[in-house]
Amino acid sequence: MIQNLTSIMPLAIGTSGLAALGLAAYWVFRIEAKKRHLEELRRIYADMSPTNPQYSTARALFIAAAISDAAAGHDSGSQGGSSGAGSSGDGAGDD
């Protein structure tokens, strides 16, 4: 019985470790994809003029995505944080 247990434990630990690494990689890529999506919405929102008929839709999507991102704790700098240093002329916060 002990011999079977000692041969199964490395397999169980290895499988658990690989599963943990897979979940961690998925989590990181999911957060990065959300950040890219939020940046794309920010760019679309900044490029539109208030007279555009789809301006309110783009604004609502951007604000909802920014609120969702902030509520999840992924502060991606959507309100002029760390990502605003390299993109000061993109229209974000130029009101």
Side-chain angles (χ1 to χ4, degrees):
M1 178 86 180
I2 300 227
Q3 187 178 10
N4 289 337
L5 183 62
T6 58
S7 65
I8 292 175
M9 284 304 283
L11 180 64
I13 292 172
T15 304
S16 301
L18 286 175
L21 285 175
L23 286 173
Y26 169 76
W27 181 71
V28 167
F29 287 123
R30 184 178 54 93
I31 288 175
E32 291 301 316
K34 278 184 160 184
K35 286 181 182 179
R36 282 191 303 269
H37 180 67
L38 188 59
E39 289 297 322
E40 179 69 18
L41 285 175
R42 178 183 298 142
R43 187 188 59 77
I44 290 170
Y45 175 57
D47 290 345
M48 285 190 171
S49 68
T51 58
N52 189 327
Q54 295 182 347
Y55 177 79
S56 61
T57 304
R59 180 178 179 213
L61 282 172
F62 171 69
I63 290 172
I67 289 171
S68 173
D69 190 52
H74 303 140
D75 186 28
S76 63
S78 63
Q79 301 300 321
S82 61
S83 67
S87 60
S88 62
D90 67 350
D94 290 342
D95 292 337

